[in-house]
Amino acid sequence: MNPQAQNLNEVIASKNQAVYDLLSERGKNIFFPKKGILGQGAEAKGTRINATIGTAIEDDGAPMHLESISAKLGISADKAFLYAPSFGRYDIRKRWQQMIAEKNPRLQGKTISLPIATSALTHGISMAGYMFLNDGQEILVPNLYWGNYNLALSNAYGAKIATYSLFKNNAMDVESLSSALLADGDKKVLLLNFPNNPTGYSPTESEMQALVAAIKNAAEKGKKIAVICDDAYFGLVYEVGVDRQSPFAYLADLHENVLAVKVDGPTKEDYVWGFRVGFITYAVKGGDAQLYEALENKTAGAVRGNISNASNLSQSLLVQAFESPTYAAEKQAKFDIMQSRYNAVKQTLSNPKYAEYFKALPYNSGYFMCIKLADGIDAEKVRMLLIEKFSIGVININGLIRIAFSAVAANDIEKMFEGIYEACKIVKG
């Protein structure tokens, strides 16, 4: 083991043994290199002639670049063309940390790590897997989950996807989650995804309290739990009584045995899918600057060894947006459109005729909702018929139909469900 990794391990273990025990073997062995090329480059920063870093520099000291690209950007060359740090730009990391606290009032007064920048959330989930999942380690996910977890966690790291029931009697099945946490094994890795993909469900305020209590109960019984909060669709909540905060806010100081890992970013929150910027942030009861710095160094080391760094240009543009005086109003305007589409779904499905062929699973947030077809109706046949006869595209997930209402104009919602209704009637008939 590299001495730099060993030093980080010693800091983590001295601060919180449970957090150290939660690390995978990769997580224990990773470090951000303070020596070698990076260290020598840092020591040479500010020299008149600097031949350390693998970038091309103009004679005047500016980053070398093509005018055909820079002319279209409207941003300084150093903020567009140079590498960003593997940790992420400090300005966006600090601003995102502040924004997390602003959006999650329960975090006020609590200490969390400085976020590490990733290449959006899929990469963030992958880096969480790198840090906490060994080959054969179970990761607990709801039985309705985003299929890319299979590639990012199971195929990549050999983790075993173990599911618990998401719903029972049209509400969240907290009992199933609790049983999964209390099953054999001291180390548990739990993945929470709210609003959920594919169902578009988030816990009500009372369900969130029950969920947090279940995690605390398991921790008090000796379970060491890393809770990965996949907050890809954070903020898109459309109903009163649904909890608007991330589980991370409740878990940040829940118990010394519970490490909360927030994976989030502007992809959906700020409608910048192609920017590919996300973040990983840590919190644990009793966590301090030294513990978080050690975890940040390990995570940045994993990022460097995987993609080197996230896009500097994207990070720079986002920082400018966050500081814009119109940012909040622009976000509200887009949320209002999403709310109107959700309302159109809810209004359309209030028509009892649809129950003959399908019913909606619980939904209240996010981009999606799912319908369960009546017995005897083949979801794949419906999906193909919708494309061929009605020019409507939906997703078949193991017999459920997932609908991304986020991508459908409000005035097309009823037409879409009418098409699904007619397709079901044809397949059933």
Side-chain angles (χ1 to χ4, degrees), residues 195 233-240 242 244 268-271 327-343 364-367 405-406 410:
Y233 302 91
F234 180 83
L236 296 170
V237 172
Y238 310 120
E239 294 282 357
V240 174
V242 176
R244 282 170 159 72
K268 278 92 175 178
E269 291 191 40
D270 298 301
Y271 310 98
Y327 170 72
E330 291 168 7
K331 281 195 70 171
Q332 184 62 48
K334 301 306 179 189
F335 177 85
D336 291 345
I337 294 172
M338 297 289 283
Q339 178 79 59
S340 72
R341 294 174 179 180
Y342 170 85
N343 291 344
N364 54 29
S365 54
Y367 272 22
F405 61 82
S406 62

Side-chain angles (χ1 to χ4, degrees), residues 166-175 177 192 194 201-215 241-243 247 250 362-364:
L166 181 58
F167 296 128
K168 182 178 181 181
N169 298 327
N170 288 321
M172 187 175 173
D173 191 349
V174 177
E175 184 179 345
L177 168 61
L192 300 176
F194 301 123
Y201 189 79
S202 292
T204 64
E205 292 169 355
S206 61
E207 287 171 339
M208 183 69 84
Q209 294 296 332
L211 182 156
V212 172
I215 295 172
V242 176
D243 206 302
Y250 294 86
Y363 66 102
N364 54 29

Side-chain angles (χ1 to χ4, degrees), residues 81-348:
F81 298 103
L82 292 178
Y83 291 121
S86 295
F87 291 79
R89 291 176 58 102
Y90 180 78
D91 51 0
I92 196 170
R93 296 173 65 206
K94 192 65 180 175
R95 184 70 184 102
W96 193 258
Q97 183 189 50
Q98 294 168 352
M99 291 168 72
I100 289 174
E102 291 165 2
K103 291 179 282 193
N104 294 273
R106 288 187 65 93
L107 286 174
Q108 298 300 323
K110 299 179 183 179
T111 303
I112 65 175
S113 76
L114 201 58
I116 296 295
T118 63
S119 186
L121 281 89
T122 301
H123 183 237
I125 293 293
S126 176
M127 291 296 91
Y130 186 110
M131 289 287 289
F132 301 106
L133 292 172
N134 287 316
D135 187 61
Q137 169 75 46
E138 279 192 349
I139 178 164
L140 303 174
V141 302
N143 59 341
L144 297 167
Y145 66 89
W146 183 43
N148 207 20
Y149 293 153
N150 293 317
L151 289 178
L153 302 174
S154 184
N155 287 66
Y157 301 117
K160 294 171 61 178
I161 300 288
T163 62
Y164 58 90
S165 174
L166 181 58
F167 296 128
K168 182 178 181 181
N169 298 327
N170 288 321
M172 187 175 173
D173 191 349
V174 177
E175 184 179 345
S176 179
L177 168 61
S178 178
S179 296
L181 287 173
L182 293 173
D184 291 344
D186 290 338
K187 175 181 175 179
K188 299 291 177 180
V189 182
L190 170 66
L191 197 156
L192 300 176
N193 169 218
F194 301 123
N196 174 263
N197 177 1
T199 67
Y201 189 79
S202 292
T204 64
E205 292 169 355
S206 61
E207 287 171 339
M208 183 69 84
Q209 294 296 332
L211 182 156
V212 172
I215 295 172
K216 185 174 184 179
N217 177 58
E220 289 174 341
K221 291 184 176 180
K223 304 295 185 182
K224 300 168 185 175
I225 311 168
V227 185
I228 302 169
C229 301
D230 178 354
D231 288 347
Y233 302 91
F234 180 83
L236 296 170
V237 172
Y238 310 120
E239 294 282 357
V240 174
V242 176
D243 206 302
R244 282 170 159 72
Q245 297 187 71
S246 167
F248 180 85
Y250 294 86
L251 302 174
D253 64 348
L254 184 70
H255 194 280
E256 291 83 354
N257 282 356
V258 177
L259 176 65
V261 184
K262 193 177 199 297
V263 180
D264 61 9
T267 303
K268 278 92 175 178
E269 291 191 40
D270 298 301
Y271 310 98
V272 287
W273 306 274
F275 274 32
R276 312 317 296 150
V277 175
F279 300 95
I280 299 184
T281 309
Y282 298 104
V284 66
K285 185 173 184 178
D288 62 12
Q290 286 183 298
L291 173 63
Y292 292 142
E293 185 179 4
L295 289 171
E296 291 163 21
N297 272 274
K298 282 183 172 288
T299 308
V303 170
R304 175 163 174 76
N306 186 260
I307 62 162
S308 186
N309 56 270
S311 166
N312 188 17
L313 173 60
S314 294
Q315 292 179 63
S316 298
L317 291 171
L318 285 163
V319 169
Q320 289 188 1
F322 296 156
E323 299 306 322
S324 168
T326 61
Y327 170 72
E330 291 168 7
K331 281 195 70 171
Q332 184 62 48
K334 301 306 179 189
F335 177 85
D336 291 345
I337 294 172
M338 297 289 283
Q339 178 79 59
S340 72
R341 294 174 179 180
Y342 170 85
N343 291 344
V345 171
K346 191 175 179 183
Q347 176 62 34
T348 300

Side-chain angles (χ1 to χ4, degrees), residues 2 40 89 187 413 420:
N2 187 286
Q40 294 176 46
R89 291 176 58 102
K187 175 181 175 179
I413 295 290
I420 296 171

